[in-house]
Amino acid sequence: MISGTTTLIAHLGYPTFAFKSPLIYNPWFEKKDIDAVVVPMGVKAEDYPTFFRSLFTLTNIRGALVTMPHKVTTMGLVDELSPTAAAAGAVNAVLLREDGTLVGEQFDGTGFVRGVLRKGLTLQGKKALVVGNGGVGSPIAASLAEEGVAELGLFDPNTAASESLAQRLTAHYPRLQVTTGSKDPAGYDLAVNATPLGMNDDDPLPMDVDRLAPTAFVGEVVMKQEITPFLRAAQEKGCKVQVGKDMLFEMIPAYLEFFGFGTATPEELRAVSLVED
């Protein structure tokens, strides 16, 4: 039930038909008797800056979830950026503070990292490879750096994307060793597919699975199918894996904490979620 006391969380993006977050947050709010609601708001890119500023003049808004195509634009519309958001080059959460200032955060990578840690992989001092350095891979790389990996390998067909990400990472994490230009997973403790490859069964694999060590941990961001051909091949090598949807359900507790709504376990969220598997 939405009433005059309900706190709003805007879900900003365009188009909105694929938005899944309201189908997870709102059932959880209802179950926990929290007077808040996530509201999808479709805003085209050309209208976004003006709308964004007007949105935060509302007196009953707590913040916003930000999705495509607005994650980069939002960086220039907030008063403060977290180090992870600055390194990632994108914002996917905004909090309105009591003093009226806006802080931008980035949780795409947080969800991935929380999932990996929950599955028992220690990241401090490890070597990680992130293939795909765009809107998903960049936040994952930034969160891995925040968690303390010693080395990061970056690869993207768009070399400029990798180079730009490497510069941001080394600026914020000067002790981090970053290399670019190779997607060879040999020698890495963690290998991540942050590309769309795997949405279709006939897609090529994002990296050479034969070069993975059986002790490597392998992560996926594709959510269309749980076990992609890449994950299947990695499992056959003996690797531990993380499926794409794990990232979504691990990310939401971080959002809830950011907005001051407490926290939740992925299991609690899955239990009430209306997202179809």
Side-chain angles (χ1 to χ4, degrees):
M1 175 64 67
I2 299 174
S3 72
T5 62
T6 302
T7 298
L8 303 182
I9 302 292
H11 190 177
L12 304 173
Y14 181 83
T16 63
F17 66 85
F19 283 12
K20 292 182 172 61
S21 291
L23 298 172
I24 305 171
Y25 284 87
N26 292 336
W28 188 82
F29 286 148
E30 184 175 357
K31 181 176 177 60
K32 294 294 183 178
D33 198 27
I34 294 173
D35 192 9
V37 64
V38 171
V39 182
M41 298 185 181
V43 191
K44 293 184 178 179
E46 60 267 28
D47 300 319
Y48 183 68
T50 300
F51 178 82
F52 183 90
R53 285 184 282 267
S54 297
L55 176 66
F56 284 100
T57 64
L58 294 175
T59 59
N60 60 339
I61 192 165
R62 178 75 56 87
L65 314 176
V66 182
T67 189
M68 299 303 290
H70 306 316
K71 293 182 181 182
V72 175
T73 303
T74 304
M75 291 186 68
L77 300 175
V78 296
D79 301 296
E80 181 183 333
L81 291 170
S82 73
T84 304
V91 164
N92 75 346
V94 176
L95 175 67
L96 176 62
R97 292 185 174 129
E98 290 185 5
D99 65 2
T101 59
L102 298 173
V103 58
E105 209 11 308
Q106 173 55 254
F107 292 120
D108 283 334
T110 304
F112 182 88
V113 166
R114 284 190 179 206
V116 168
L117 294 174
R118 187 184 294 272
K119 293 173 182 65
L121 181 65
T122 301
L123 290 172
Q124 288 190 349
K126 297 294 175 62
K127 297 177 62 177
L129 172 67
V130 180
V131 176
N133 303 151
V136 179
S138 292
I140 288 175
S143 291
L144 290 170
E146 178 73 19
E147 192 60 32
V149 297
E151 299 182 34
L152 262 178
L154 304 175
F155 178 83
D156 196 283
N158 178 1
T159 304
S162 298
E163 296 295 339
S164 176
L165 175 58
Q167 290 175 7
R168 295 194 304 272
L169 288 169
T170 53
H172 289 276
Y173 306 99
R175 294 184 180 180
L176 179 67
Q177 182 178 332
V178 183
T179 59
T180 62
S182 173
K183 60 178 178 177
D184 182 358
Y188 285 100
D189 303 295
L190 170 66
V192 185
N193 173 37
T195 77
L197 294 175
M199 294 187 70
N200 304 302
D201 283 333
D202 57 353
D203 286 341
L205 296 183
M207 63 190 79
D208 186 353
V209 176
D210 290 337
R211 299 281 290 167
L212 279 168
T215 54
F217 191 104
V218 174
E220 176 68 272
V221 303
V222 170
M223 297 186 192
K224 186 176 180 181
Q225 54 183 332
E226 183 160 290
I227 301 297
T228 61
F230 174 54
L231 289 186
R232 189 176 303 113
Q235 286 178 321
E236 290 171 357
K237 288 269 305 192
C239 299
K240 291 184 178 181
V241 302
Q242 174 163 287
V243 303
K245 200 169 284 186
D246 285 348
M247 185 172 72
L248 174 64
F249 284 96
E250 293 281 359
M251 186 191 318
I252 290 175
Y255 274 113
L256 293 171
E257 294 157 19
F258 180 63
F259 292 130
F261 293 124
T263 191
T265 67
E267 292 74 23
E268 288 172 338
L269 293 167
R270 287 180 187 275
V272 299
S273 170
L274 299 178
V275 174
E276 296 181 2
D277 292 329

